[in-house]
Amino acid sequence: MAFTNEQLERYSRHIILKEVGAKGQKKLSQAKVLIIGAGGLGAPAALYLAAAGVGTIGIVDADEVDLSNLQRQVIHTTADIGKPKVQSAKETMEAINPDVTVNTYHTFVTSENVLDLIGDYDFILDGTDNFPAKFLINDACVMAKKPFSHAGIIRFKGQLMTYVPGQGPCYRCVFKNPPPKDAVPTCKQAGVIGAMGGVIGSLQAMEAVKYIVGAGDLLTGWLLTFDALKMEWHKVKLPSDTSKCAVCGDHPTITELVDYEQAECDMKK
Amino acid sequence: MKLTVAGKNKEYADGITVAQLVELENVETPQYVTVTVNDEFVESGSFAETTLKDGDTVEFLYFMGGGSATLHQYRSID
């Protein structure tokens, strides 16, 4: 597939980069990235991936745009209130770049559908806000051998790490099990500064682009944290021994996907 | 003794444990923090028995949510 003159102009700032070039831009146009959550993290990530010319972008979210989302979820506008977030996100991405094919999944992510959702994609972005979903996405990506970017944001802080199969620890290596419900505050309870989604979500898009074009070093084996009040970044080296991990280790004890809240309910019976 | 805690060089009393450091550093939700010493995980049940030594590098890793709700159980949280 050759680029049209219009595409050469659209992607000229990429193509001129030696780490991208026409070859990397072609890889982007053939790549498929799935964004789970069209919220604080997924919104900016989706904007940059669409603008970058990622050929196929999938977006998963069961919610509708709410007024309280607009402080940070920059892919949606006031006119989109009440519309499914995936629809609003698709319209914005297509308006930015008609080259991009956007697949929408107006659904929650569960143990039933997550493997089907991620199956068609080369790289996954976790833009969810709760721990059951984060563990589910991690375990599914480990089992399906899919690379993914994990991120979290709260108040004035954010962090992210990248998992690539066989190249470093997964999320569960670091955080063994989800904390009990409400034990650790979420954005709704604790608040989050809007621009934090832009900072960390953009870095997730950056990791996806680097993975696709094969440029530089990913955050595999590292957790990058950002404290906006102190304006401090900190890159934490993660232990490289993954052999004991319950899901990605040598003798995994987790071999089926778990919906954590459901499991708790089951135990009470 | 000197420790590097979350990337910063600090001075502490000799022989303090990970549990004592967690308290001294005012770690938020200490029961759910992941701790590494010299790039190795410290088992969550053994903070009190893990004694630190001069020159150790300690990191605290925190649970962080944020983003968008995508599980039905969390519909109200966003």
Side-chain angles (χ1 to χ4, degrees):
Chain A
M1 181 202 81
F3 289 114
T4 64
N5 285 342
E6 198 184 308
Q7 286 171 323
L8 287 173
E9 189 172 345
R10 177 185 286 272
Y11 304 121
S12 58
R13 304 303 191 275
H14 268 172
I15 292 169
I16 205 167
L17 293 166
K18 71 172 167 43
E19 293 84 354
V20 182
K23 204 175 154 190
Q25 191 61 47
K26 193 176 170 189
K27 285 182 186 169
L28 287 168
S29 73
Q30 292 167 342
K32 296 178 167 187
V33 176
L34 182 70
I35 302 167
I36 305 179
L41 292 164
L47 294 176
Y48 277 108
L49 292 175
V54 170
T56 306
I57 300 173
I59 188 139
V60 189
D61 203 303
D63 280 337
E64 284 73 43
V65 179
D66 183 84
L67 183 57
S68 68
N69 300 149
L70 300 181
Q71 160 260 15
R72 65 200 178 285
Q73 299 178 16
V74 291
I75 204 165
H76 315 297
T77 70
T78 306
D80 294 321
I81 290 171
K83 198 184 277 184
K85 283 187 182 178
V86 290
Q87 185 57 35
S88 162
K90 179 184 165 84
E91 287 167 10
T92 309
M93 281 189 274
E94 288 175 346
I96 291 170
N97 190 348
D99 287 348
V100 177
T101 300
V102 180
N103 299 326
T104 60
Y105 307 94
H106 189 208
T107 178
F108 295 105
V109 176
T110 69
S111 63
E112 304 277 302
N113 66 12
V114 66
L115 290 171
D116 284 340
L117 287 167
I118 68 175
D120 285 340
Y121 292 90
D122 306 315
F123 193 92
I124 321 297
L125 262 70
D126 171 11
T128 65
D129 80 336
N130 63 83
F131 301 107
K134 290 189 179 301
F135 278 85
L136 180 68
I137 291 164
N138 178 75
D139 294 355
C141 286
V142 169
M143 289 175 192
K145 297 190 166 57
K146 297 282 183 183
F148 82 102
S149 164
H150 158 87
I153 51 173
I154 196 156
R155 301 193 184 105
F156 284 84
K157 290 183 176 175
Q159 64 186 26
L160 75 159
M161 63 180 277
T162 302
Y163 169 76
V164 178
Q167 290 186 25
C170 75
Y171 180 63
R172 199 184 275 278
C173 289
V174 184
F175 301 104
K176 317 289 182 230
N177 283 295
K181 202 180 167 196
D182 298 330
V184 175
T186 64
C187 286
K188 187 172 182 183
Q189 295 152 335
V192 63
I193 194 78
M196 186 57 73
V199 172
I200 303 295
S202 299
L203 287 178
Q204 289 189 281
M206 186 77 81
E207 287 289 89
V209 168
K210 281 163 56 199
Y211 175 81
I212 293 161
V213 305
D217 299 316
L218 298 170
L219 285 171
T220 47
W222 298 90
L223 182 77
L224 181 63
T225 71
F226 177 53
D227 181 334
L229 289 178
K230 295 179 182 163
M231 253 351 190
E232 282 180 353
W233 293 91
H234 182 47
K235 197 175 167 187
V236 182
K237 192 172 191 317
L238 300 172
S240 53
D241 180 11
T242 62
S243 62
K244 291 179 193 144
C245 177
V247 66
C248 81
D250 294 344
H251 306 285
T253 53
I254 296 165
T255 53
E256 280 179 23
L257 295 170
V258 191
D259 290 310
Y260 271 97
E261 286 296 285
Q262 192 61 45
E264 277 182 14
C265 296
D266 287 347
M267 285 190 300
K268 282 175 196 156
K269 281 177 190 165
Chain B
M1 63 177 180
K2 288 191 173 65
L3 298 177
T4 305
V5 179
K8 297 208 163 98
N9 298 321
K10 294 186 174 182
E11 191 76 38
Y12 293 91
D14 284 353
I16 63 164
T17 65
V18 168
Q20 287 170 316
L21 185 67
V22 162
E23 204 170 320
L24 288 166
E25 288 290 314
N26 294 314
V27 166
E28 213 178 319
T29 58
Q31 62 274 45
Y32 304 116
V33 75
T34 295
V35 178
T36 66
V37 176
N38 304 330
D39 305 337
E40 301 284 344
F41 291 119
V42 179
E43 292 296 323
S44 58
S46 58
F47 288 1
E49 297 91 65
T50 306
T51 306
L52 295 163
K53 57 183 192 308
D54 189 52
D56 279 348
T57 296
V58 185
E59 296 286 356
F60 300 117
L61 307 171
Y62 300 94
F63 274 112
M64 218 178 270
S68 178
T70 54
L71 265 184
H72 52 94
Q73 293 92 345
Y74 281 77
R75 178 134 210 176
S76 61
I77 298 176
D78 180 52

